[in-house]
Amino acid sequence: MSQHPLVVITGASSGIGAATARAFAAAGHPLLLIARRLEPMRDLGIADAELAACDVNDTAAVSSALARAEERFGPVDLLINNAGLMALSSVAEQDPALVQEQFDVNCVALMKNSQLVLPRMQQRRHGTIINIGSIAGKQLYGDHTVYNGTKFAVHAMTEGLRRENAAYGVRVLLVAPGMVDTSLLGHTHGEVLDGYLDYKRSIGGGLAPEDVAQAILTAYQLPQHISFREIVVAPTSQDA
Ligand code: NDP
């Protein structure tokens, strides 16, 4: 069995989550990977990994996957709440289902899944939760109203959780990326997508998901008594 503790990553089938899975596996950690699509997680080819193909809001499924992974690898020491959904649009034109889904995935699941691991981290007085926020959790952008709302909420809840857990020695921290080249734009279309891509091209493209994974790994690998409370990581050329 691995000497390193169990790391749980949501949204591990793509983008930042998949890159983070590869980075932590290379660092020797056993993993629990969670996303709805199983194949891309299988394709990562990580031996010491439990895979859970489920919705992050299916608390019963996440909970039983956690139990399975902990049985195999020992207690979870890091939860990375990474699964996320961005659908850019003016609110008037936005599908109401996508309003709901962005809050469900970006905010509600993040809190409910934190609840699954926190009591035992508090008991052990050890552990880390890393929430993936966004630069869009710090400033407003056009056509981002709902996504902005979800990420501002992530930032606020991360700071609240950090304060609640400081006395237990449990770290809660935020990684807020700028533009990263992933599939996140898959729910954005038309002129809004064109405008986003034009800006991205004008700055020479986004970060690679591996760049963000490196920031996450670096923050986690610090000794437990040191917390990078908030990391904003973006292309140097991004000026917005
Ligand atoms: P991707 O679209 O590449 O990845 C999103 C991941 O979330 C996928 O693995 C997807 O898996 C998973 N996911 C979405 N909905 C659900 C759900 N209901 N249940 C389980 N898993 C779900 O995007 P990124 O890698 O870019 O996004 C990762 C995080 O980074 C998000 O929180 C995003 O907001 C944040 N971020 C991204 C930025 C960027 O420029 N790319 C900038 C700032 C922040 P599946 O579809 O298989 O369920």
Side-chain angles (χ1 to χ4, degrees):
M1 189 190 276
S2 169
Q3 300 292 309
H4 295 283
L6 173 63
V7 172
V8 180
I9 304 171
T10 70
S13 62
S14 154
I16 294 168
T20 303
R22 286 191 294 267
F24 277 84
H29 288 274
L31 304 175
L32 167 59
L33 304 180
I34 302 171
R36 289 164 303 181
R37 289 168 297 151
L38 183 61
E39 277 313 309
M41 295 193 288
R42 268 204 192 124
D43 291 346
L44 291 169
I46 298 170
D48 279 348
E50 282 289 325
L51 309 180
C54 64
D55 194 297
V56 274
N57 269 300
D58 183 346
T59 306
V62 173
S63 182
S64 73
L66 258 174
R68 227 171 42 235
E70 290 195 314
E71 173 76 26
R72 183 171 162 198
F73 299 122
V76 55
D77 193 55
L78 171 63
L79 167 64
I80 304 172
N81 281 310
N82 164 77
L85 176 68
M86 176 175 86
L88 304 183
S89 164
S90 67
V91 174
E93 290 169 315
Q94 182 131 66
D95 177 352
L98 280 171
V99 175
Q100 182 75 50
E101 195 180 347
Q102 286 179 88
F103 275 98
D104 284 347
V105 177
N106 299 0
C107 299
V108 179
L110 176 141
M111 281 294 110
K112 289 197 309 188
N113 292 331
S114 297
Q115 289 180 313
L116 293 178
V117 302
L118 270 172
R120 276 165 299 143
M121 285 183 177
Q122 290 177 349
Q123 258 169 23
R124 289 188 293 113
R125 300 200 159 252
H126 206 280
T128 303
I129 294 180
I130 298 181
N131 292 332
I132 307 303
S134 171
I135 277 188
K138 301 177 74 64
Q139 57 181 310
L140 302 180
Y141 296 99
D143 298 309
H144 277 62
T145 301
V146 173
Y147 185 71
N148 269 144
T150 68
K151 291 298 184 179
F152 270 69
V154 168
H155 289 209
M157 292 189 293
T158 302
E159 175 60 10
L161 267 187
R162 186 192 68 71
R163 294 180 190 196
E164 286 178 20
N165 287 282
Y168 295 94
V170 172
R171 295 184 295 193
V172 181
L173 55 114
L174 180 77
V175 173
M179 284 184 166
V180 188
D181 291 326
T182 68
S183 316
L184 194 67
L185 284 168
H187 297 272
T188 301
H189 310 283
E191 281 178 18
V192 177
L193 176 63
D194 293 344
Y196 192 101
L197 291 176
D198 281 348
Y199 176 71
K200 195 151 107 167
R201 268 191 295 272
S202 78
I203 63 165
L207 294 179
E210 288 73 20
D211 299 328
V212 181
Q214 183 59 52
I216 295 169
L217 184 64
T218 301
Y220 176 69
Q221 285 180 333
L222 287 171
Q224 181 78 19
H225 70 284
I226 307 173
S227 177
F228 277 173
R229 290 184 183 181
E230 180 176 330
I231 299 173
V232 182
V233 54
T236 304
S237 52
Q238 185 173 342
D239 60 0

